[in-house]
Amino acid sequence: MKRILIIVLGVALGATAMAQPQKSRVKQQTEQTAGAAQGKSQAQKQAVRQFPSAPTMSEDVTWRRDIYRTLDLTKDANAPLYYPIEPVGKQMNLFTYLFRLVLSGLIPAYNYSLDGNENFEPTNRVKVKDLMERYGIFYEEKDGKMTVAPQDIPSAEVTRYYIKESSFFDQRTSIYKQRVVALCPVLMRGADEFSSDATPYPLFWVNYDEVSSYLGRLPVMASNLNNVTNMTADDFFTMNRYDGKIYKTNNMQGRVLANYCTTDSALTKEQKRIEKQLVDFEAGIWTTQKPDTTRKDSTAVDDPKAAKKAAKSSKSSSSSRRSKASSKSSSSSGSRVSARRQRR
């Protein structure tokens, strides 16, 4: 009797499950899918917390300067981002790594707008298929999934990067830092035997905060003398090991340096002026110069050459005054002797 009762209960439960409404089953499947997606999102957030090397920038910092730089990967300082051009084992260059992350959907990429500013809104995300067709990158699509052969990734042509860098001072923590905000690989094409000037094609922007945890897993070579890859791409950017020239700053008119620097010498002078502004601001945070009340001209105090010149001028003027006084004294003495002789 017990066996018969157990069998009857099992059949009843199975019938109840089969009789469950379709909407209820769909809802249950949707909840399971959402739970899996939430678990993936939490895993990604945990990966981000695992590499907290980049300094955080609060929204209410007291001072901030946004600067855009061009990184030329043919320079030795930026070479760790370019070599090896083709993957060698687990080693690959930065663009190959970013391209694979974007292709697999692990990180979002954002369109490069005409004004050159980054826009990290979801509506501005790059459609990977459009990117492939726009720049002639060969790919294969199967079951809605795109794959690109390693030899078809144009990593050799990406010899330049645009980066956005923020220098900021947080008064609450007394921290002055420079951090990379965004990266943009630039495809250089058009150079041939008739022309050596390549045309830049900015591909897409990536938010550094969204890619920093992955860059912490990409080893790069830090030295030509020590071939041990003891540095990651995230370390490279966090420690500001790159060498980039300024081509734009955030300003009210939205102008790049080339808009008002008509010659190469003027452009170089403007770049040095902006660099000096950053250095002077950082130096002014930690030092307080007291005014010298013994001098009217503060430039003479700050400039050693001016101080030396002023001292020399003061010395010569005092010597001149002594010489004039001596000459006047001797002149007056001679006139008194002559007067006495006339009285006799």
Side-chain angles (χ1 to χ4, degrees):
M1 292 296 293
K2 291 183 178 180
R3 291 181 179 179
I4 296 174
L5 184 60
I6 292 173
I7 292 173
V8 171
L9 289 175
V11 172
L13 291 174
T16 304
M18 292 298 294
Q20 185 179 8
Q22 184 177 2
K23 292 184 178 180
S24 179
R25 291 199 301 270
V26 171
K27 182 179 180 181
Q28 185 177 3
Q29 293 176 357
T30 304
E31 291 177 353
Q32 292 176 355
T33 305
Q38 185 178 2
K40 183 179 179 181
S41 177
Q42 290 178 354
Q44 290 178 349
K45 291 180 180 179
Q46 186 176 1
V48 172
R49 289 195 302 267
Q50 193 174 357
F51 300 95
S53 56
T56 57
M57 181 175 60
S58 177
E59 294 182 356
D60 57 347
V61 293
T62 57
W63 185 89
R64 190 184 81 182
R65 185 91 184 265
D66 294 332
I67 288 176
Y68 294 81
R69 297 181 183 270
T70 302
L71 303 188
D72 185 0
L73 301 191
T74 60
K75 289 186 175 181
D76 191 60
N78 304 321
L81 304 178
Y82 187 63
Y83 296 98
I85 299 176
E86 295 183 358
V88 179
K90 295 182 179 180
Q91 293 185 347
M92 64 186 72
N93 66 5
L94 178 61
F95 178 72
T96 302
Y97 192 66
L98 290 177
F99 186 83
R100 290 183 175 181
L101 290 174
V102 172
L103 188 64
S104 60
L106 292 176
I107 62 171
Y110 303 90
N111 288 303
Y112 184 90
S113 57
L114 294 177
D115 59 1
N117 294 330
E118 72 289 347
N119 180 7
F120 297 143
E121 295 295 329
T123 55
N124 195 44
R125 289 187 61 168
V126 169
K127 294 181 180 179
V128 181
K129 189 174 182 179
D130 293 343
L131 183 70
M132 305 291 187
E133 295 177 352
R134 187 184 308 160
Y135 298 104
I137 303 174
F138 297 101
Y139 67 94
E140 294 182 359
E141 188 174 6
K142 186 177 180 181
D143 298 332
K145 184 178 180 181
M146 288 182 294
T147 58
V148 179
Q151 63 271 14
D152 292 330
I153 300 176
S155 58
E157 297 178 293
V158 180
T159 58
R160 187 179 296 181
Y161 274 86
Y162 295 154
I163 69 169
K164 181 182 179 182
E165 172 190 279
S166 289
S167 302
F168 65 95
F169 176 70
D170 192 345
Q171 190 173 4
R172 296 176 304 175
T173 57
S174 297
I175 291 178
Y176 177 84
K177 282 290 185 179
Q178 293 177 342
R179 71 187 302 268
V180 176
V181 178
L183 298 173
C184 175
V186 182
L187 198 66
M188 303 297 293
R189 285 179 175 174
D192 51 25
E193 58 182 351
F194 301 103
S195 175
S196 59
D197 296 332
T199 304
Y201 295 96
L203 296 177
F204 51 80
W205 283 107
V206 292
N207 189 342
Y208 191 84
D209 290 338
E210 295 175 343
V211 75
S212 60
S213 61
Y214 296 100
L215 295 183
R217 307 171 196 176
L218 177 64
V220 297
M221 189 176 295
S223 172
N224 290 325
L225 302 178
N226 183 7
N227 300 141
V228 177
T229 54
N230 55 358
M231 177 180 286
T232 65
D234 184 40
D235 297 330
F236 185 84
F237 285 110
T238 303
M239 298 170 64
N240 304 115
R241 295 286 295 268
Y242 52 85
D243 180 15
K245 293 184 177 181
I246 300 173
Y247 72 91
K248 178 185 175 182
T249 62
N250 266 352
N251 54 79
M252 291 181 289
Q253 297 180 351
R255 297 191 303 171
V256 298
L257 270 61
N259 292 144
Y260 58 93
C261 298
T262 56
T263 61
D264 293 339
S265 59
L267 179 62
T268 303
K269 185 177 180 180
E270 180 67 9
Q271 290 170 341
K272 291 181 178 180
R273 186 185 71 85
I274 297 173
E275 296 281 9
K276 188 176 184 301
Q277 286 179 343
L278 296 175
V279 174
D280 291 345
F281 179 82
E282 183 179 5
I285 296 174
W286 314 116
T287 59
T288 303
Q289 295 182 354
K290 296 182 178 180
D292 189 355
T293 57
T294 61
R295 295 179 183 268
K296 294 182 179 180
D297 189 2
S298 59
T299 308
V301 180
D302 299 333
D303 190 356
K305 293 183 179 180
K308 187 176 180 181
K309 186 177 179 180
K312 187 177 180 180
S313 176
S314 176
K315 185 177 180 181
S316 61
S317 62
S318 62
S319 176
S320 176
R321 286 196 299 270
R322 286 196 302 269
S323 176
K324 289 181 179 180
S326 176
S327 176
K328 185 177 180 180
S329 175
S330 61
S331 176
S332 60
S333 175
S335 63
R336 286 195 296 270
V337 171
S338 177
R340 289 173 185 171
R341 284 179 181 177
Q342 287 178 0
R343 292 190 191 99
R344 288 178 184 178

